[in-house]
Amino acid sequence: EHLRGKYLGLAHPVAIDYLRKLGVTTVELMPVQSFVSEQFLVEKGLSNYWGYNPLGWFAPDARYAVVDPVVEFKTMVRALHDAGLEVVLDVVFNHTAEAGQGDRSVLDKVVPGYYHRLNPKTGAVETSTCCQNVATEHALAQKMMVDSVVMWARDYKVDGFRFDLMGHASKAN
């Protein structure tokens, strides 16, 4: 019971056996990249458990781990693969959790106005459009997204990706 909702819970033989009995061949996980709850939820004593508010594109979220998210995520993928199941991740690259969090994002402190679309009046990360604040038209933002999926495929051995709203995220130059 202590493994329910955790990487190791999905890796448990009982869970895997259940999936195989259902005829499942591929498991698609909602976003597991490190994420945070939006401030308005926290103020209400709620939390975001969906994962669509990413903070770190290169790290599995610790909330789904018992102790070590990296080891446990890799263990889960290996167990699913050993059972003949593929693992697909839902990834979120069109926005980050930094929108509306202060005047600048961490990435925009490195290169101001490059990784995120900024509100021209406030200089803060743009939040007027639904989930479209990453400047996906910029080469280094694109490289970071590619580097992330390569890392998840190479280091964590995931089999594929579903890109959240990516067809709507880019602006043509």
Side-chain angles (χ1 to χ4, degrees):
E1 189 168 313
H2 74 284
L3 297 178
R4 286 185 185 160
K6 306 291 184 185
Y7 303 124
L8 295 179
L10 187 53
H12 193 279
V14 171
I16 291 174
D17 186 51
Y18 177 71
L19 292 172
R20 293 188 70 200
K21 284 180 181 174
L22 290 175
V24 171
T25 59
T26 303
V27 174
E28 180 181 341
L29 301 174
M30 292 178 72
V32 295
Q33 296 167 315
S34 182
F35 67 95
V36 296
S37 294
E38 295 88 336
Q39 188 59 37
F40 76 91
L41 290 174
V42 173
E43 290 170 1
K44 295 178 181 180
L46 302 171
S47 64
N48 175 337
Y49 58 88
W50 291 88
Y52 289 95
N53 205 24
L55 188 59
W57 290 343
F58 294 88
D61 197 86
R63 280 171 278 209
Y64 304 129
V66 177
V67 176
D68 185 328
V70 171
V71 169
E72 294 172 29
F73 188 89
K74 288 179 178 183
T75 299
M76 174 196 68
V77 172
R78 189 171 37 256
L80 292 167
H81 283 167
D82 287 349
L85 300 170
E86 294 182 325
V87 179
V88 174
L89 296 185
D90 193 345
V91 292
V92 181
F93 293 123
N94 53 312
H95 70 282
T96 66
E98 298 169 306
Q101 304 295 316
D103 61 341
R104 292 264 187 212
S105 75
V106 172
L107 290 172
D108 287 308
K109 287 181 180 178
V110 176
V111 183
Y114 185 82
Y115 287 98
H116 288 94
R117 296 183 185 105
L118 302 180
N119 182 304
K121 293 180 183 173
T122 66
V125 174
E126 183 57 65
T127 59
S128 64
T129 58
C130 177
C131 308
Q132 306 299 328
N133 62 37
V134 173
T136 56
E137 65 274 14
H138 293 159
L140 290 178
Q142 294 169 7
K143 181 180 183 330
M144 194 162 57
M145 290 178 236
V146 169
D147 288 348
S148 175
V149 295
V150 166
M151 185 226 42
W152 285 97
R154 182 194 61 221
D155 297 346
Y156 292 100
K157 310 292 188 222
V158 300
D159 301 294
F161 303 91
R162 182 243 172 214
F163 297 91
D164 182 59
L165 296 176
M166 286 305 292
H168 306 287
S170 296
K171 284 185 177 179
N173 284 339

